[in-house]
Amino acid sequence: MTMTHEEVRRGLAENRSAPNGTARNAHAEALVGAAEALGDAALFRDALDNLVHAYLWSSESSKMLVPFARLLQEYDKDPGSFAKWDAHSLFWQFKWVATAISDSPEIPLESAWGWVAEMERRYRVAGYSERPVREAEMWLAHCAGDDERADRAHRAWLAADRDSMSDCHACELNSQGSYAALRGDDAQALEHWRPVLDGERTCAEEPHRVLATSLLPLLRLGRLNEARSHHLRGYRMARGNESLLPSIAKHIEFCALSGNESRGLEILAEHAAHLGPLANADDQLAFHGGILVLLRRLQELGHGNSPAAAYEGVPRTVSELYEVMYAGSLAIAHRFDARNGTTRVSDRFLARIGAQPLVGVLPLGVRSAPLPQTAGAPTTAAAPAPAAAAAAAAVTAGAAAVTAGAAFAELVERARQARDQGHPAADGLWAEVAVRMDALPEEDVDPLVAADVADSRALAAARAGAPEAGELLLTVRDRYRYLGQAQRAALAELRLASVAGQDGAEPDRVRELLAAAARAAEALDPDEPLRARRIATAELAAIRIEPHLRARDTGHEHAHAPLHGRDAEHDNDPEHDHGQRELTAFAEAHAQTLPDLAADAEEALGRIALSQGDPQRAAALLASAARHAAEAGRPWQAVDPLVLRAGLLMSLGQPEEAEEAARSAVESALEIIDAETQGTVRLTLADILMGRAEAAAEAAEHALTAAHWFDQAGLSSFNGAQARLLLARAYARDDRFADAAEVLQSALPDLLEHGDLQAVSARQFLGDLLRQLNEPRAAAEQFLLAAEAAKDWNGPQPQADLAHSAADQLSAAQLPEEAIAAYERALELYRANGGAPVAEVRILRSLAWLALRDGAARASVARARFLMDEAVGVLMTASDPGNPPLRAELAQTWHQLAQVLDRQVTTTEQLDEEYGEDARPAEQLDAAELRALRLEEVDLCERAAAVYAELGPDHLDERLQCVQYAAWTEQELGRDEAGAARMSALVDELRALPQDTAKALLERAEYTLQRLSS
């Protein structure tokens, strides 16, 4: 059906504001056909122009050549039919077309150069600078492999003058930096990009593109923190934008080369709809190239058979997707090569997808599901190459056996030393010994090494609470006895007692085992170096376990509390008094000879003191425990008491001492390989640092590391979520709102599982971040969800505050009906809670302005005035109307009411200009009514200014605004002298004030007075 002119015009208006993509393009194409059928040349030109723009902002940008050529034909037929701006737009589009031609391998190189020459001719005739022409020449020459011509064009581009046809500064800086990076100068590229990255130069697609392009140069230069931030901020900007698919690919590539393959997979999944062939061949090569880097990396890690994404509707594994995308991309590269007569494009493509990781793992802070473990994955970052493996196989069997035997013996010795020292690396070393031992023939296994491995496995089972731990320890004890290792057997006896206690054995049975362990230690040869340690260890174990056993004897409710001494929740029971005295005596007796055991006793005493409400004593004991652990050469043993002491000192209001303890814990944890402990230590320090405003950046660093460690420990959903929440707060403190929002959104599903209080807090925080990022609709959603979660809380105040915040954001998102509903709900809640004058007044003022959303008709203004008057009434009847904040709100309300009245006056005057006074609509104001409103505006501003004067220097700015408003209104009333007199009086007053207080305000006031008096 043929469309009318009006339907085409309306369709064009709708299409210009439609989301970018193929649907918009198809509609734009249909509108061109409809406009051409109508025979309206002007409408046809508009439709062609619209189609060019639609193609530009999509993945079909190469299609713009046809509508642009037709538009150019229209211009050549009748240049005079193009208005000044239309002609400018046509010449501007020449630059887009030059890029599209360069990016289209089906256009012969000779034709492409012809378009550049045509562009140069037309620009010269039209009087424009050659600057855009030389840039187009540079990129085409570079693509074609003519580096000499590209460099020459590059110099000419930078030397040419900028004029109205030049790209914006942000886009030019992007190009300059990109060219430098392609020529291998990352540092120079980043210097070019700096104004864009710092926000000094921006446009519709910048800094989106520059943030993505800067990622690999930053990694190569080792500027990892910047790379992380650019990814978080840049991906947030580019996500889901069809015209930025090459930038999306750069983020995927960055993830693949920074140890964040799982994050790369998530980004790929979000954009899987674009995996098929694209209309723009260059965009497809760029987009698919970045994805291929990730897929190749996943194959190297053993995930080739894992599901990836569908390609053209067919589900694919990683390897399958790699093969189909590799073939398609390489075919495109060869098409470019065939056109250009060089291998430049395919060489660059192959180099890109073959790139190796630039860093091991760069923690990003965002939550990503870990990749599953695979049998084929390499265990280290430096797995031996096939050539190296072949060379190793060529070594003679005898020499290899000697070398392997020596290395194995050395490994066993290292494991024993670490075990005897209590070093955190002991478990890992014994695990490696076990793997090597299991690979040996049974007759070659040293029985003592086998016993040691069994001991390590039994200890791991005991720590895990495995039911077979007791049996394993019995076997270990007997093997050590058989081998004559009495001191190791004695230790196994003690572990048997501990396991029995943990398993809930009868108290007398546990005591029997403890006594047996003590006898075994006493029976050791007097010359045994470890005899004193074994005796003291058994003594300490008995001291710590006995209070629990006595509690079970008496049926104490905590009878089944853990026996390892780390939980002191019932240590304030009376039966623990004797144990505390024994622990104290033990610590004093062994502080010099066995300081690590003394440290254990002091830590237990510190926990008991804390549970008994004696924090100062607890802090002293924990400090002593950490000191003795360090003296024993076991700094890792100091970590737990230091972390506990740091939190305790914060609760006592001693942040400096708490920070010192936390930093010591971080230093002491250097050799600890337990991921959860590392995360806890870092999170503790980060939390303390957040107490200092200037330490936000360092707090973020530690919170980021903590999140990474918790992820490694498989604790992302709770501990990791708390670390990310703290990381987001640190980023926000440092004004890194985009980084904060990305981190928080990734952790939000986990945080929502931690109860309503956490859920409401997290959503409110995210809403505040989105508000800072000018994403009002998304911010409103978070505030509304938080309000819903808080609806059953005692008291409606939290829900009211959240509804109020949501209403503000709904209004900012231009959703007036939804905003009104939210404001009215917030008002209802505030009043149900006994009233909140400031909040109520601000809501009423917002509702007043929303009443004018459809214009300043009499009824709308009457509604707005009613709401403003209601706001004044709230302030006048408040419990303390003289309160300065309330007085300031009163002045603001009067000032805003004056502005409402001005809206009505201005609307009437505009209608007078359009229709004439005699033809104005009946409901509009006559001259007398207009004058009355102007006079009321003056009066309202006078009253507001008087209140601000009463409130003092802190409100000088607001007072100046009111006086200026009144003065200009006086002038509109024909009372110029009165208006000038108002300003003159305020100027005199400002001159009398200290200039550091009023200088800027005085300059504004003097300027206004000068204009009023001229």
Side-chain angles (χ1 to χ4, degrees):
M1 187 175 66
T2 303
M3 297 175 68
T4 66
H5 286 73
E6 183 57 35
E7 287 172 337
V8 174
R9 288 287 180 199
R10 187 165 56 249
L12 289 172
E14 293 171 354
N15 191 257
R16 290 186 182 103
S17 60
N20 298 325
T22 54
R24 179 191 177 191
N25 295 350
H27 186 208
E29 290 165 357
L31 290 170
V32 168
E36 187 175 19
L38 289 170
D40 185 328
L43 187 63
F44 181 52
R45 291 194 299 270
D46 286 348
L48 287 171
D49 180 77
N50 176 70
L51 181 56
V52 170
H53 280 81
Y55 283 146
L56 173 71
W57 301 107
S58 74
S59 60
E60 299 180 321
S61 56
S62 59
K63 289 185 176 182
M64 73 173 70
L65 297 175
V66 173
F68 175 76
R70 298 185 71 184
L71 195 57
L72 196 60
Q73 289 174 355
E74 292 293 311
Y75 179 80
D76 288 340
K77 285 193 298 185
D78 186 8
S81 65
F82 281 68
K84 181 179 179 181
W85 171 249
D86 293 335
H88 184 277
S89 177
L90 177 68
F91 278 87
W92 187 273
Q93 291 171 11
F94 236 120
K95 299 184 296 181
W96 303 342
V97 170
T99 299
I101 290 170
S102 176
D103 294 346
S104 302
E106 64 273 9
I107 297 178
L109 191 60
E110 183 179 352
S111 297
W113 283 122
W115 271 97
V116 172
E118 179 67 7
M119 178 183 178
E120 180 176 13
R121 182 187 70 80
R122 287 181 179 269
Y123 271 42
R124 184 172 60 251
V125 171
Y128 292 121
S129 168
E130 67 170 351
R131 190 176 179 94
V133 179
R134 299 285 77 85
E135 182 182 5
E137 178 188 6
M138 176 190 75
W139 286 120
L140 181 56
H142 178 76
C143 178
D146 189 345
D147 291 337
E148 182 179 348
R149 182 170 183 177
D151 286 342
R152 188 167 62 248
H154 177 256
R155 293 190 296 271
W157 168 39
L158 298 182
D161 293 334
R162 284 184 56 83
D163 65 2
S164 63
M165 201 52 60
S166 299
D167 281 342
C168 74
H169 283 285
C171 288
E172 282 207 341
L173 290 170
N174 178 358
S175 292
Q176 291 170 28
S178 297
Y179 190 73
L182 287 171
R183 306 293 280 174
D185 194 340
D186 290 333
Q188 183 61 51
L190 288 162
E191 184 59 29
H192 282 306
W193 290 328
R194 184 190 54 75
V196 181
L197 297 171
D198 290 349
E200 298 172 16
R201 301 290 186 182
T202 62
C203 70
E205 289 194 337
E206 298 298 353
H208 316 45
R209 295 182 301 168
V210 166
L211 285 165
T213 310
S214 70
L215 293 172
L216 296 191
L218 286 168
L219 286 183
R220 287 193 289 262
L221 292 173
R223 292 161 61 173
L224 304 185
N225 288 333
E226 292 172 80
R228 176 192 300 113
S229 180
H230 288 194
H231 169 65
L232 294 176
R233 187 159 58 107
Y235 180 61
R236 184 177 187 82
M237 290 178 164
R239 178 192 285 127
N241 192 328
E242 188 176 284
S243 69
L244 292 177
L245 290 178
S247 295
I248 298 294
K250 290 173 183 176
H251 286 282
I252 294 174
E253 181 179 14
F254 162 80
C255 291
L257 300 182
S258 64
N260 290 285
E261 295 84 5
S262 60
R263 167 78 167 172
L265 270 177
E266 291 171 359
I267 297 174
L268 172 59
E270 290 181 0
H271 298 85
H274 298 289
L275 283 186
L278 302 178
N280 186 318
D282 188 66
D283 278 2
Q284 181 178 338
L285 188 61
F287 181 48
H288 290 191
I291 295 170
L292 285 166
V293 178
L294 172 67
L295 297 175
R296 179 193 54 76
R297 181 67 184 144
L298 289 169
Q299 288 185 101
E300 291 175 351
L301 294 173
H303 296 283
N305 294 323
S306 299
Y311 187 90
E312 296 188 295
V314 180
R316 311 276 180 163
T317 65
V318 167
S319 294
E320 291 169 344
L321 185 59
Y322 179 87
E323 291 302 325
V324 69
M325 292 182 71
Y326 175 83
S329 298
L330 190 59
I332 292 174
H334 286 157
R335 285 163 57 197
F336 274 107
D337 289 346
R339 183 194 75 171
N340 298 333
T342 72
T343 60
R344 165 65 59 86
V345 175
S346 59
D347 288 347
R348 179 161 289 153
F349 165 73
L350 293 172
R352 180 186 189 186
I353 66 170
Q356 293 301 307
L358 295 168
V359 295
V361 177
L362 175 64
L364 299 178
V366 290
R367 170 87 141 90
S368 291
L371 295 174
Q373 293 296 316
T374 60
T379 56
T380 66
V395 180
T396 63
V402 171
T403 303
F408 182 63
E410 181 184 349
L411 175 63
V412 171
E413 182 59 27
R414 285 169 52 213
R416 285 172 176 162
Q417 289 176 356
R419 179 191 64 191
D420 294 343
Q421 195 182 11
H423 197 284
D427 290 344
L429 289 169
W430 281 118
E432 189 173 350
V433 169
V435 170
R436 303 254 191 113
M437 184 191 76
D438 290 342
L440 294 173
E442 186 175 349
E443 61 272 16
D444 291 344
V445 175
D446 184 337
L448 182 55
V449 172
D452 287 338
V453 169
D455 182 38
S456 173
R457 288 169 172 167
L459 179 58
R463 287 171 179 162
E468 68 273 16
E471 289 297 326
L472 292 173
L473 284 167
L474 273 173
T475 301
V476 167
R477 182 198 64 183
D478 293 344
R479 292 176 76 171
Y480 276 137
R481 284 178 176 175
Y482 176 78
L483 294 169
Q485 296 291 313
Q487 62 90 7
R488 297 299 305 168
L491 187 57
E493 292 269 19
L494 182 57
R495 288 175 179 162
L496 276 169
S498 296
V499 168
Q502 290 174 352
D503 288 347
E506 289 299 319
D508 286 345
R509 174 57 181 160
V510 177
R511 291 186 180 103
E512 288 176 12
L513 291 170
L514 286 169
R519 288 194 300 273
E522 290 282 356
L524 291 173
D525 191 302
D527 294 332
E528 167 60 54
L530 293 174
R531 181 174 183 274
R533 174 174 288 278
R534 293 289 179 263
I535 293 171
T537 302
E539 180 186 355
L540 179 58
I543 293 171
R544 293 172 68 171
I545 293 177
E546 183 57 34
H548 299 274
L549 298 178
R550 285 202 301 269
R552 292 185 59 205
D553 284 335
T554 59
H556 193 282
E557 60 177 326
H558 297 298
H560 297 289
L563 303 182
H564 48 61
R566 300 295 183 185
D567 270 321
E569 64 177 275
H570 66 286
D571 285 338
N572 55 352
D573 291 342
E575 56 262 36
H576 280 251
D577 292 344
H578 178 70
Q580 290 180 60
R581 289 193 295 273
E582 288 186 314
L583 280 171
T584 302
F586 180 92
E588 292 174 351
H590 296 89
Q592 301 300 320
T593 55
L594 295 168
D596 58 308
L597 295 182
D600 270 347
E602 288 173 323
E603 182 183 348
L605 285 166
R607 292 175 182 272
I608 293 170
L610 186 57
S611 71
Q612 293 176 334
D614 192 350
Q616 296 293 349
R617 180 168 177 266
L621 285 164
L622 293 169
S624 182
R627 185 175 65 254
H628 280 129
E631 289 172 358
R634 300 185 177 197
W636 52 87
Q637 189 179 332
V639 172
D640 280 352
L642 285 169
V643 168
L644 184 58
R645 185 169 187 270
L648 176 57
L649 290 169
M650 280 298 289
S651 70
L652 293 173
Q654 299 174 249
E656 293 181 2
E657 294 88 341
E659 182 179 332
E660 181 182 356
R663 289 191 184 281
S664 295
V666 170
E667 293 173 6
S668 299
L670 291 177
E671 296 182 73
I672 290 180
I673 58 175
D674 178 68
E676 182 178 2
T677 300
Q678 285 286 358
T680 300
V681 171
R682 296 285 185 165
L683 185 58
T684 299
L685 178 55
D687 195 24
I688 292 170
L689 289 171
M690 283 296 288
R692 291 198 285 116
E694 72 278 8
E698 187 183 358
E701 178 184 342
H702 290 294
L704 175 72
T705 306
H708 173 69
W709 280 113
F710 286 133
D711 289 347
Q712 297 299 305
L715 299 170
S716 297
S717 61
F718 186 80
N719 305 64
Q722 298 305 315
R724 288 185 171 87
L725 178 59
L726 187 63
L727 175 60
R729 295 196 183 283
Y731 281 157
R733 178 82 61 80
D734 218 19
D735 293 339
R736 294 170 60 180
F737 301 116
D739 295 20
E742 278 295 294
V743 169
L744 183 57
Q745 283 180 310
S746 77
L748 189 61
D750 293 325
L751 294 169
L752 296 179
E753 298 298 318
H754 300 164
D756 284 347
L757 184 61
Q758 180 83 92
V760 169
S761 174
R763 288 198 184 279
Q764 184 175 15
F765 180 28
L766 181 55
D768 288 334
L769 292 172
L770 294 170
R771 172 166 47 196
Q772 291 284 352
L773 294 169
N774 194 29
E775 298 179 29
R777 187 187 289 260
E781 179 184 5
Q782 293 303 321
F783 289 133
L784 289 171
L785 289 170
E788 178 65 19
K791 69 179 181 181
D792 295 326
W793 290 6
N794 291 330
Q797 179 77 35
Q799 191 183 4
D801 291 339
L802 291 164
H804 189 177
S805 295
D808 286 341
Q809 293 308 294
L810 289 167
S811 181
Q814 298 184 358
L815 297 169
E817 301 304 325
E818 293 86 345
I820 289 170
Y823 277 130
E824 290 176 344
R825 177 58 177 157
L827 193 61
E828 176 187 352
L829 290 166
Y830 281 128
R831 289 174 174 172
N833 195 48
V838 171
E840 290 181 50
V841 164
R842 291 178 178 176
I843 289 173
L844 290 166
R845 290 200 303 251
S846 297
L847 287 170
W849 285 109
L850 285 170
L852 303 178
R853 63 191 181 279
D854 294 326
R858 283 182 185 269
S860 300
V861 174
R863 173 63 178 163
R865 182 193 283 271
F866 172 81
L867 291 164
M868 289 288 187
D869 288 342
E870 186 178 353
V872 171
V874 169
L875 292 166
M876 292 299 191
T877 59
S879 58
D880 184 13
N883 180 280
L886 296 186
R887 295 288 290 165
E889 292 296 330
L890 177 62
Q892 182 65 247
T893 304
W894 280 332
H895 189 191
Q896 289 196 30
L897 177 55
Q899 293 170 311
V900 167
L901 301 180
D902 181 69
R903 176 78 65 86
Q904 187 177 24
V905 171
T906 302
T907 300
T908 298
E909 291 174 343
Q910 290 172 345
L911 288 170
D912 285 348
E913 292 179 6
E914 184 175 352
Y915 297 106
E917 290 188 25
D918 296 335
R920 70 161 67 116
E923 76 158 16
Q924 295 304 318
L925 309 178
D926 59 26
E929 289 174 312
L930 289 174
R931 183 172 181 79
L933 285 177
R934 288 296 193 200
L935 289 170
E936 187 176 358
E937 288 178 53
V938 173
D939 178 61
L940 287 166
C941 288
E942 280 184 334
R943 281 190 270 167
V947 172
Y948 286 135
E950 164 193 317
L951 292 172
D954 289 344
H955 293 272
L956 274 173
D957 194 349
E958 295 97 327
R959 183 182 170 198
L960 172 58
Q961 292 178 44
C962 291
V963 173
Q964 286 175 316
Y965 190 125
W968 285 116
T969 307
E970 294 267 29
Q971 188 183 63
E972 291 170 356
L973 287 166
R975 294 159 32 172
D976 295 12
E977 292 184 1
R982 289 177 187 278
M983 285 306 308
S984 180
L986 184 57
V987 165
D988 291 342
E989 188 175 335
L990 291 171
R991 285 172 177 163
L993 293 174
Q995 285 306 289
D996 59 344
T997 302
K999 182 179 180 182
L1001 296 176
L1002 177 59
E1003 291 175 354
R1004 284 166 50 194
E1006 287 177 333
Y1007 176 74
T1008 302
L1009 178 59
Q1010 181 183 6
R1011 291 186 60 201
L1012 285 166
S1013 303
S1014 60

